[in-house]
Amino acid sequence: MKRQISFTQALATVVGSVIGAGVFFKIGTITAQTGSTSMTLFVWILAGVISIASGLTVSEIAASLKVNGAIKYLDYTYGRVWGFLFGWAQMIVYFPAQIGALSSIFGVQFVSLFGISNKFSNLIAILLVLFLFGINLIGTKVSSKMQSVITVLKIIPIVLIIIWGIFNQNRINIQILPLTVGAGKSMAGGLSQGLLSALFAFEGWIVVTNLANEVKNPEKDLSRAIIAGLSIITLIYVLINYTFLTVLPIHQLVNNNNAAFEASSKLFGQFGGKLVTVGILISVYGAVLTPLC
């Protein structure tokens, strides 16, 4: 393979592969698990640190072995049986479950945006998967170009929410320190459950290690791209969740699948909120497209 991927392109791959649906919709789950604003923000920071450490470990393996893909790393380290099982686990469980979860989120947000009955959300999710499947049948060139456009578009609602949230004059004062959990919850339980949910939103960074044999200087650029990319993503995640927490009271965020729409509506008004939600739908669409490519 030709070594033609630069540091900038590797960095863009990290950011584009990771940012998807989790940044918008995990806030409802995490607030329910932690019960506090301080622990909610902390688990996002901790998830970012763990992801960077994991990424650095895998990038060292990728740069040393000069091969592409986690399956090859497992083959080399633990034997071909584990690489084989990992490949099948991805095909049968991991990717289908990820696509199903993201498509369900898309369906819920779609019916909420257009005022359609909730009973049609699953149908819309199925149609989305079939539509993307058809695009990939046309060819990877088409799906790759579409993914590049979506990567740019999905950043727009994130930037708008963060900027408006920072300058919001009516924001709610929240507790950042000391770390606490909600009533009836243990510190260990709130931290572990919230962390597991936050890590879902960081999934995808390993994609760049699949390109290790095509990066111009993998020994140097892979680690740099992962550190810089995941640091940027962690900052974005913390800021956007801080915005959600300062726009809506925590009791309105708990288990709320429409938190992003409601926060956007409060920041931008009803019409502006719907426009931002369209951007969020595009982001979720891109997240579903990634494992299908």
Side-chain angles (χ1 to χ4, degrees):
M1 295 182 180
K2 293 182 179 180
R3 294 195 176 277
Q4 54 189 356
I5 297 177
S6 65
F7 163 74
T8 304
Q9 291 171 320
L11 176 63
T13 301
V14 173
V15 175
S17 300
V18 173
I19 294 179
V23 63
F24 300 111
F25 305 111
K26 276 299 177 180
I27 184 69
T29 302
I30 293 175
T31 50
Q33 293 165 334
T34 63
S36 76
T37 56
S38 59
M39 186 60 76
T40 296
L41 291 175
F42 178 72
V43 296
W44 283 105
I45 297 171
L46 184 57
V49 172
I50 292 174
S51 297
I52 291 172
S54 302
L56 290 176
T57 302
V58 176
S59 69
E60 287 298 320
I61 298 173
S64 300
L65 296 184
K66 303 292 192 287
V67 295
N68 291 345
I71 294 175
K72 293 291 185 181
Y73 308 154
L74 290 172
D75 284 348
Y76 180 86
T77 309
Y78 300 109
R80 297 194 65 184
V81 171
W82 297 106
F84 176 82
L85 292 175
F86 177 74
W88 277 103
Q90 281 190 317
M91 291 177 62
I92 297 174
V93 180
Y94 180 72
F95 286 132
Q98 182 185 18
I99 292 167
L102 293 171
S103 299
S104 296
I105 291 172
F106 183 94
V108 170
Q109 296 303 307
F110 189 93
V111 298
S112 175
L113 177 63
F114 294 102
I116 304 172
S117 173
N118 287 332
K119 67 181 181 181
F120 293 108
S121 62
N122 287 335
L123 175 61
I124 291 169
I126 294 170
L127 291 175
L128 173 65
V129 174
L130 293 175
F131 173 70
L132 293 177
F133 178 69
I135 288 177
N136 280 274
L137 287 179
I138 296 173
T140 56
K141 188 175 182 180
V142 175
S143 59
S144 297
K145 285 184 176 180
M146 182 176 292
Q147 185 63 267
S148 299
V149 174
I150 289 171
T151 299
V152 176
L153 291 177
K154 72 166 114 177
I155 299 296
I156 296 175
I158 293 174
V159 172
L160 289 175
I161 291 172
I162 290 175
I163 292 176
W164 259 256
I166 290 174
F167 293 101
N168 179 25
Q169 298 299 316
N170 299 316
R171 59 176 174 266
I172 301 168
N173 292 322
I174 63 172
Q175 176 181 308
I176 298 178
L177 290 173
L179 295 179
T180 59
V181 292
K185 301 180 184 296
S186 68
M187 184 68 74
L191 174 61
S192 59
Q193 292 175 16
L195 178 60
L196 183 62
S197 296
L199 283 170
F200 172 84
F202 282 90
E203 188 280 328
W205 55 263
I206 201 169
V207 170
V208 74
T209 62
N210 294 339
L211 307 174
N213 216 26
E214 300 170 63
V215 176
K216 291 179 180 178
N217 188 2
E219 292 84 358
K220 181 180 179 181
D221 288 345
L222 267 180
S223 298
R224 289 174 59 211
I226 288 174
I227 291 174
L230 287 175
S231 297
I232 291 169
I233 291 164
T234 301
L235 179 63
I236 289 172
Y237 283 3
V238 171
L239 287 175
I240 198 168
N241 280 275
Y242 172 80
T243 298
F244 289 152
L245 290 167
T246 57
V247 170
L248 295 175
I250 191 168
H251 68 270
Q252 290 185 22
L253 290 169
V254 172
N255 290 323
N256 186 352
N257 290 326
N258 291 315
F261 172 72
E262 292 177 14
S264 299
S265 298
K266 201 162 183 179
L267 284 172
F268 308 105
Q270 194 67 21
F271 179 72
K274 287 188 175 183
L275 284 179
V276 171
T277 305
V278 170
I280 294 172
L281 284 173
I282 293 173
S283 179
V284 179
Y285 172 91
V288 182
L289 181 61
T290 298
L292 280 169
C293 290

